[in-house]
Amino acid sequence: MHAFEYAAPASVADAAAALANEDAKVLAGGQTLLPTMKQRLAAPSVLVDLRKIDGLSGISREGDALVIGAMTRHADVAASKVVQDAIPGLAALAALIGDPAVRHRGTIGGSLANNDPAADYPAAALALGATIVTNKREIAAGDFFKGLFETALEDGEIITKVKFPLPEKSAYEKFRNPASRYAMVGVFVAKTKAGVRVAVTGAGSSGVFRHAAMEAALAGNFSPAAIAGVKTDASGLLSDLHGDADYRAHLVGVMARRAVEAAA
Amino acid sequence: MSATGLGASVKRKEDIRFITGKGRYVDDINRPGQAHAYFLRSPHAHATIDKIDASAALASPGVAAVFTGQDIADDKLGGLICGWMIHSKDGSPMKAGAHPVLAQGKVRYVGDHVAVVIADTLSQARDAAEKIVVDYGVLPAVADPAKAVGGPNIHDAAPDNTVYNWHLGDKAATDAAFASAAHVTKLDLVNNRLIPNPMEPRAAVGDYDSGTDTITLYTTSQNPHVARLVLSAFIGLAPEHKFRVIAPDVGGGFGSKIFIYAEETVCAWAARKIDRPVKWTSDRTEAFLSDAHGRDHVTHAEVALDAAGKVTGLRVHTIANMGAYLSTFASSVPTYLYATLLSGQYNIPAIYAEVDAVYTTTAPVDAYRGAGRPEASFVVERLIEMAARETGRDPAEFRRQNFITQFPHQTPVIMAYDIGNFAGALDKALEHADYKGLPARKAASAAKGKLRGAGFSAFIEACGIAPSAAVGSLGAGVGLWESAEVRVNPIGTVEILTGSHSHGQSHETTFAQLVSERLGISIDNVSIVHGDTDKVQMGMGTYGSRSGAVGMSAISKALDKIEAKAKKVAGHVLEAAESDIEFKDGKFTVKGTDKAIDFASVALQAYVAHKFNGQELEPGLKESAFWDPTNFTFPAGVHICEVEIDPDTGIVTVERYTAVDDFGKLINPMVVHGQVHGGIAQGIGQALMEGAKYDEDGQLVTASYMDYTMPRADSLPSFTVDTIETACPSNPLGIKGCGEAGAIASPPAVINAITDALGHEDIAMPATPVAVWRAAQKRPRLAAE
Ligand SMILES: Cc1cc2nc3c(=O)[nH]c(=O)nc-3n(C[C@H](O)[C@H](O)[C@H](O)COP(=O)(O)OP(=O)(O)OC[C@H]3O[C@@H](n4cnc5c(N)ncnc54)[C@H](O)[C@@H]3O)c2cc1C
């Protein structure tokens, strides 16, 4: 690890000010950032730790939405009665992230900001039509994810919370990478007032994506049978040691059917 | 049986220390004024080193020294050695390329050692290493052993990258058996390359005392005396009396800590060079890149049967990957530890094996839990299972038909099995596994759209290595005896000094149980001293499941001497003839009287010596012994694995796993079960998950846990583990060894179960989800579909 400065501001405004330093970076749970720094793949000049800022973590129901603070840890989402009642698929998703140590440190804000193509939360955010709230604006999930490790966040912009509109039905099915246990294929299906949405993580070579053909097929008939014949184009999918694009394309179908079955 | 004697499942004495974080590992050791070493490693699989410019690194803050291969050469330090000479078919000695401690002129795998930077802190050393400029002339790489011959030449000393073309057995007799066979089963297989991954990575601290001109090396070693011997006698670091090697608590080895590596050599050497302690602890990436890997065979094998189903012959051709350099025992693994086990548990009249060992531009490959024997059992047990299936025979009964039933049994491949009861293990395993219920369970799985199958592995291995004369005649550079010293203190407590080394084997408990049994004292009054060349004079260390059969036999022999001496003392004290003294349950009694003295009192008398007069009896109670075995030991057993496959995803679930093993007499059944559990977990890891992969450029693709899949607790079912017992006749304790059996037995059991479920044989290890999914597409249609 290279040397760096450490700041623990008490407010979002102070954090934003600290982030004005060149190469400053937000530190949330550190579960992605710190390993990258240890491998010397990242060398921020200042780490701006959000932990001391009040009000950045917590879970609440606000009308038709579930609101989760950016610093809320995966373990808290998984264990939350509020989440389990409102969006059980989301609680289940959080319980599938990493291992207990990771879940007790890693945060939803960190996961979304990082936008790892194999991360789980992006699938939920996209399928549920979440709104990512920052210190500057509100960004619709559909506009937020911009490819591998890329998001709509500008330099120094801080995610403060995420708003999930409550779906009628939803579920997440994850095929874990055998080694890392990140998503090799994760499919989040949601039947919402705005229609059926199917988001796929782990598989796409430019990150999380919506599966239009499945959404269309499920719109009229929300059942596994409706998508049994829907094919997934392998051309935009990742190939690696653990599975080529054809296998991933096949798994998208299997996970989607299982998710619909679990949700229905 | 006493509560802490032989055969009792005594809880491990060492666990309290380990689970409360009080273990003392090499990384816990810090010496005053210590500096930290960082190794600059090759980013290329194969390249010439045209120039190294370390000037900026030397000027970097905190840097004490930068050394390259040139400095090692200038100091006339020898290269790392391979201690087992193998001769090719044509009688020529193996062709070993030089293995410099730090690269000289060329690098040969990603992770090879180019330079070492020593600085006040590790971070400074790392910063400085980034400033070293190396001009490489990149050369083509070759990682696949099957492509090594004809590939880019790696060592001048080994034309065509061939280390040896070795063979064993009677070719003519084997060919004749095949010529007259009623059926021949053929198999091409790969024994996948594994990365050992002990929980504790390797580490070393070199410490030099300029006053006495003595080097102390703390190192993560399974055999500190062998390390000292090699570093002293071959590498020329320091003479043995000026060189102490300490292997304190060591957190797992699985073979990878047997070998003598560049890093500890450099730490010890550099400590003297800069007159400052030098420390290095491997990080996980370095462990993936530079710990000696295991397995990596490409094999074609055939078995011949007569019309009645009797196995008449077996022939095998294996290409064994040695990696870029010959590691310490690398040459012995695919030869005498492999081909000598190709008879399995079967009466096979003719066997012929050819092994070509090749260099590739990959990390060195050497012994890894089982070392050669897992590779042999995979060949034999896959072939036998397939032969049964191809000829329509039940795999269990086909095995039984061919089992060796008369002992001793001389195989055609050197080994002479001393004792066993193969059918006994099979019967018990069939019962535990509810083999009769398999068809019903298969039907139940099929009804859920799943595929179920069961696979056998009737493994045998040779451990308790090894008779020194025998291994010497086969090319070993050292004898494989073990030493023990028993020191009885005046208050009757006992210290056992052993040349064995515990790094997960539970010696502090099991060795103490032997003493408790023999001397009738509590295990709390026994301590086991190991891992320090200043305390234990000499030893051969722990690997090859040898610490019980060989290490404890040495202790037993020393205890015989203690008992004899103690009887003399007791005789003196009780004023009776030595021949009238009986020793039982920790008490010496005069035959036919009630005159008695306990062990602790005898110990005290031995040291106060008030009742000895002059030269008649020596004071003290301390004895030592060396035990050299007369044969290998032959643990064997039958494992049955049952899997269920989800054909939609390719995920394989191990549903049941049954192991019935014959380890001879058990010292501590709980410890034995633990060893078996760990071994099975590693074997299931090999079969389903683990596999080191290098790409075309020789880059290690699986260099972290993000890509290298380890077995986890939740990937495994509860195992059913049981034993049968035929006492080993070649050692006083009747024990055979259990440390590697699980890893030797399980891979073929798992793959045989998968192929049973699939209905065809076309699946390689590791049977990952994608591979199984593809294989499941190819399966013959089920009747129900
Ligand atoms: C062993 C292991 C296994 C894992 N397995 C999984 C898995 O199965 N599925 C999965 O989805 N993830 C997995 N992860 C990743 C984990 O979920 C991380 O916690 C997450 O990706 C990052 O969250 P964090 O809070 O740790 O963020 P950090 O590591 O602290 O930060 C990550 C990045 O986000 C930025 N950032 C953090 N918070 C904010 C914010 N509020 N606003 C703006 N930018 C911010 C940081 O500057 C940094 O660039 C795993 C991690 C590990 C170590």
Side-chain angles (χ1 to χ4, degrees):
Chain A
M1 202 180 278
H2 289 287
F4 57 88
E5 311 246 315
Y6 173 83
S11 72
V12 173
D14 288 351
L19 284 170
N21 287 295
E22 203 180 337
D23 291 332
K25 246 186 177 320
V26 167
L27 174 68
Q31 295 304 289
T32 296
L33 187 51
L34 295 184
T36 334
M37 288 169 64
K38 282 187 190 166
Q39 291 176 303
R40 302 194 160 200
L41 298 171
S45 58
V46 186
L47 279 188
V48 183
D49 192 342
L50 303 185
R51 261 189 316 173
K52 298 269 158 70
I53 303 176
D54 279 344
L56 279 188
S57 66
I59 297 166
S60 60
R61 267 286 281 277
E62 291 178 15
D64 275 353
L66 178 72
V67 180
I68 303 181
M71 287 296 284
T72 311
R73 301 171 312 160
H74 310 326
D76 296 326
V77 174
S80 160
K81 187 86 177 62
V82 178
V83 182
Q84 286 166 5
D85 288 344
I87 315 179
L90 188 62
L93 174 149
L96 287 171
I97 298 175
D99 51 50
V102 169
R103 290 195 291 275
H104 281 84
R105 290 235 174 238
T107 68
I108 188 169
S111 177
L112 292 173
N114 194 48
N115 192 21
D116 187 315
D120 296 297
Y121 270 129
L126 194 57
L128 292 165
T131 300
I132 286 102
V133 182
T134 76
N135 58 336
K136 295 183 177 157
R137 56 189 168 140
E138 300 204 344
I139 311 170
D143 300 325
F144 183 81
F145 303 107
K146 299 280 187 197
L148 303 182
F149 301 100
E150 294 288 335
T151 67
L153 290 175
E154 289 163 6
D155 278 351
E157 191 168 4
I158 300 167
I159 301 177
T160 55
K161 59 189 169 191
V162 189
K163 293 199 278 199
F164 294 94
L166 300 192
E168 288 169 30
K169 295 171 175 174
S170 71
Y172 181 63
E173 284 290 326
K174 174 177 182 177
F175 186 93
R176 295 186 300 189
N177 175 309
S180 71
R181 295 199 166 179
Y182 273 80
M184 197 156 120
V185 169
V187 179
F188 202 105
V189 298
K191 190 163 187 259
T192 70
K193 291 199 188 81
V196 175
R197 293 171 68 143
V198 177
V200 180
T201 189
S205 50
S206 43
V208 65
F209 65 91
R210 282 173 62 181
H211 201 303
M214 284 192 185
E215 291 183 356
L218 289 168
N221 174 13
F222 192 77
S223 76
I227 49 171
V230 177
K231 291 256 176 296
T232 301
D233 182 6
S235 62
L237 301 190
L238 291 165
S239 275
D240 59 25
L241 187 67
H242 305 286
D244 54 18
D246 285 342
Y247 180 52
R248 279 189 163 84
H250 164 79
L251 286 178
V252 169
V254 177
M255 294 300 118
R257 289 196 295 281
R258 290 182 184 176
V260 172
E261 196 174 324
Chain B
M1 185 176 84
S2 80
T4 58
L6 297 180
S9 283
V10 178
K11 287 206 175 132
R12 299 193 345 145
K13 286 175 76 178
E14 48 270 67
D15 276 344
I16 292 168
R17 182 166 95 250
F18 292 145
I19 65 181
T20 56
K22 290 175 185 162
R24 188 169 153 85
Y25 299 87
V26 173
D27 192 55
D28 295 322
I29 291 165
N30 293 299
R31 305 298 300 153
Q34 133 192 314
H36 296 262
Y38 179 79
F39 287 86
L40 180 69
R41 292 172 188 277
S42 172
H44 303 295
H46 194 196
T48 54
I49 300 175
D50 300 332
K51 193 175 160 224
I52 301 178
D53 178 357
S55 50
L58 272 167
S60 193
V63 171
V66 179
F67 297 118
T68 66
Q70 191 57 50
D71 300 292
I72 300 270
D74 291 348
D75 258 19
K76 306 217 163 22
L77 213 60
L80 301 173
I81 61 153
C82 177
W84 199 304
M85 172 52 74
I86 299 293
H87 287 86
S88 282
K89 286 174 199 170
D90 64 7
S92 63
M94 66 183 185
K95 299 185 174 69
H99 189 179
V101 173
L102 295 175
Q104 291 179 7
K106 207 176 174 192
V107 285
R108 295 181 173 85
Y109 67 102
V110 172
D112 204 352
H113 315 72
V114 176
V116 63
V117 182
I118 300 167
D120 294 345
T121 70
L122 179 59
S123 206
Q124 287 172 332
R126 231 178 132 169
D127 287 342
E130 288 176 3
K131 296 178 188 157
I132 299 177
V133 184
V134 185
D135 293 347
Y136 292 105
V138 178
L139 298 167
V142 61
D144 181 350
K147 295 184 182 148
V149 173
N153 194 239
I154 299 163
H155 288 276
D156 294 342
D160 242 348
N161 295 328
T162 299
V163 182
Y164 53 74
N165 304 113
W166 174 88
H167 68 164
L168 183 66
D170 186 337
K171 182 172 189 323
T174 308
D175 287 346
F178 276 85
S180 62
H183 181 86
V184 174
T185 291
K186 301 180 180 184
L187 174 66
D188 285 293
L189 57 85
V190 169
N191 203 293
N192 44 324
R193 185 184 183 104
L194 303 176
I195 300 178
N197 281 298
M199 204 180 287
E200 178 210 25
R202 291 189 292 119
V205 181
D207 193 2
Y208 177 64
D209 180 338
S210 57
T212 59
D213 187 29
T214 304
I215 297 175
T216 301
L217 172 67
Y218 303 87
T219 179
T220 49
S221 175
Q222 301 178 212
N223 38 274
H225 294 87
V226 175
R228 184 175 70 158
L229 176 66
V230 169
L231 288 165
S232 178
F234 296 93
I235 298 180
L237 195 61
E240 280 170 301
H241 70 298
K242 294 283 185 188
F243 186 25
R244 177 181 186 185
V245 177
I246 299 175
D249 285 330
V250 173
F254 310 115
S256 68
K257 293 172 182 168
I258 299 172
F259 322 121
I260 289 78
Y261 290 89
E263 291 87 353
E264 61 263 25
T265 308
V266 167
C267 286
W269 167 76
R272 181 175 59 201
K273 194 108 183 125
I274 66 170
D275 195 5
R276 212 177 142 178
V278 176
K279 179 173 190 171
W280 169 78
T281 300
S282 170
D283 69 23
R284 205 38 90 172
T285 307
E286 290 181 288
F288 273 99
L289 291 175
S290 70
D291 287 2
H293 294 179
R295 321 274 191 258
D296 210 351
H297 285 193
V298 177
T299 295
H300 176 78
E302 304 182 351
V303 64
L305 314 187
D306 69 12
K310 169 93 192 58
V311 177
T312 55
L314 186 106
R315 63 187 171 201
V316 173
H317 177 245
T318 290
I319 304 172
N321 196 347
M322 299 281 98
Y325 300 98
L326 288 187
S327 171
T328 317
F329 289 110
S331 54
S332 66
V333 177
T335 49
Y336 293 109
L337 296 176
Y338 166 66
T340 52
L341 272 308
L342 286 171
S343 194
Q345 298 189 357
Y346 310 106
N347 200 338
I348 307 180
I351 298 176
Y352 181 63
E354 291 175 287
V355 178
D356 301 330
V358 295
Y359 279 124
T360 59
T361 55
T362 62
V365 179
D366 205 328
Y368 170 64
R369 202 171 192 172
R373 294 152 287 161
E375 295 90 316
S377 77
F378 193 65
V379 170
V380 174
E381 288 308 293
R382 284 287 292 128
L383 267 181
I384 292 291
E385 189 94 13
M386 278 175 67
R389 289 172 186 165
E390 285 178 2
T391 59
R393 294 180 163 94
D394 178 77
E397 294 319 306
F398 178 64
R399 283 181 168 83
R400 191 192 302 279
Q401 178 189 353
N402 283 287
F403 275 159
I404 294 160
T405 52
Q406 303 292 315
F407 297 91
H409 173 89
Q410 178 62 55
T411 70
V413 280
I414 301 178
M415 291 300 174
Y417 301 162
D418 50 5
I419 197 166
N421 175 10
F422 304 152
L426 178 63
D427 289 336
K428 216 168 182 183
L430 287 170
E431 199 183 307
H432 281 315
D434 184 24
Y435 188 58
K436 287 206 188 80
L438 178 65
R441 293 193 296 277
K442 279 190 173 179
S445 293
K448 297 184 293 177
K450 302 277 175 71
L451 309 171
R452 187 178 279 258
F456 288 82
S457 174
F459 81 101
I460 188 160
E461 61 140 324
C463 66
I465 56 176
S468 299
V471 296
S473 74
L474 303 178
V478 286
L480 291 170
W481 45 263
E482 196 47 85
S483 77
E485 185 175 318
V486 179
R487 294 182 183 169
V488 180
N489 297 316
I491 59 166
T493 61
V494 173
E495 284 156 53
I496 300 290
L497 285 73
T498 169
S500 300
H501 184 277
S502 189
H503 36 278
Q505 290 83 351
S506 320
H507 296 171
E508 289 173 47
T509 306
T510 54
F511 288 10
Q513 284 179 252
L514 172 60
V515 179
S516 171
E517 173 86 21
R518 291 288 302 272
L519 302 182
I521 61 175
S522 158
I523 58 167
D524 295 332
N525 289 337
V526 182
S527 60
I528 307 300
V529 178
H530 67 148
D532 184 342
T533 60
D534 262 14
K535 293 182 181 164
V536 179
Q537 181 239 341
M538 189 55 192
M540 297 314 295
T542 289
Y543 39 84
S545 304
R546 65 191 305 275
S547 301
V550 189
M552 286 180 87
S553 293
I555 298 171
S556 177
K557 198 174 164 191
L559 286 168
D560 290 344
K561 297 183 187 177
I562 288 285
E563 198 178 313
K565 172 77 185 287
K567 274 185 175 166
K568 282 199 173 93
V569 176
H572 246 78
V573 177
L574 298 175
E575 292 167 350
E578 188 192 328
S579 55
D580 286 339
I581 302 291
E582 282 175 339
F583 182 52
K584 213 176 149 240
D585 299 331
K587 253 203 175 111
F588 297 86
T589 42
V590 182
K591 230 183 267 175
T593 73
D594 59 359
K595 287 214 274 178
I597 181 170
D598 67 7
F599 180 76
S601 307
V602 168
L604 187 64
Q605 290 298 331
Y607 288 97
V608 296
H610 293 160
K611 303 218 163 130
F612 305 174
N613 39 8
Q615 299 305 310
E616 212 171 89
L617 189 57
E618 257 182 59
L621 196 49
K622 179 183 96 164
E623 299 287 350
S624 65
F626 286 69
W627 172 263
D628 197 351
T630 51
N631 194 357
F632 291 84
T633 63
F634 299 96
V638 172
H639 289 209
I640 304 175
C641 176
E642 196 169 315
V643 301
E644 191 176 73
I645 296 173
D646 176 353
D648 277 345
T649 58
I651 287 181
V652 176
T653 318
V654 179
E655 294 287 332
R656 289 165 172 244
Y657 197 100
T658 306
V660 177
D661 297 306
D662 180 357
F663 298 130
K665 294 228 178 269
L666 307 186
I667 305 298
N668 180 326
M670 180 198 73
V671 164
V672 169
H673 282 205
Q675 292 289 317
V676 173
H677 280 230
I680 295 170
Q682 270 173 319
I684 291 176
Q686 165 160 33
L688 297 180
M689 300 161 220
E690 298 186 47
K693 283 268 179 304
Y694 286 90
D695 69 12
E696 292 284 293
D697 299 326
Q699 294 291 333
L700 182 62
V701 182
T702 51
S704 80
Y705 295 128
M706 292 300 280
D707 286 306
Y708 189 89
T709 313
M710 293 292 286
R712 292 154 154 105
D714 66 3
S715 348
L716 306 167
S718 247
F719 305 137
T720 304
V721 173
D722 201 354
T723 51
I724 61 165
E725 180 186 308
T726 61
C728 179
S730 69
N731 65 62
L733 300 166
I735 58 185
K736 299 185 181 180
C738 65
E740 296 156 295
I744 293 168
S746 50
V750 177
I751 297 298
N752 286 337
I754 293 174
T755 49
D756 182 42
L758 292 172
H760 68 76
E761 304 294 336
D762 194 9
I763 186 82
M765 296 196 291
T768 59
V770 62
V772 173
W773 175 69
R774 284 250 144 69
Q777 322 280 306
K778 279 201 287 189
R779 73 186 197 277
R781 296 234 140 230
L782 295 174
E785 287 176 289

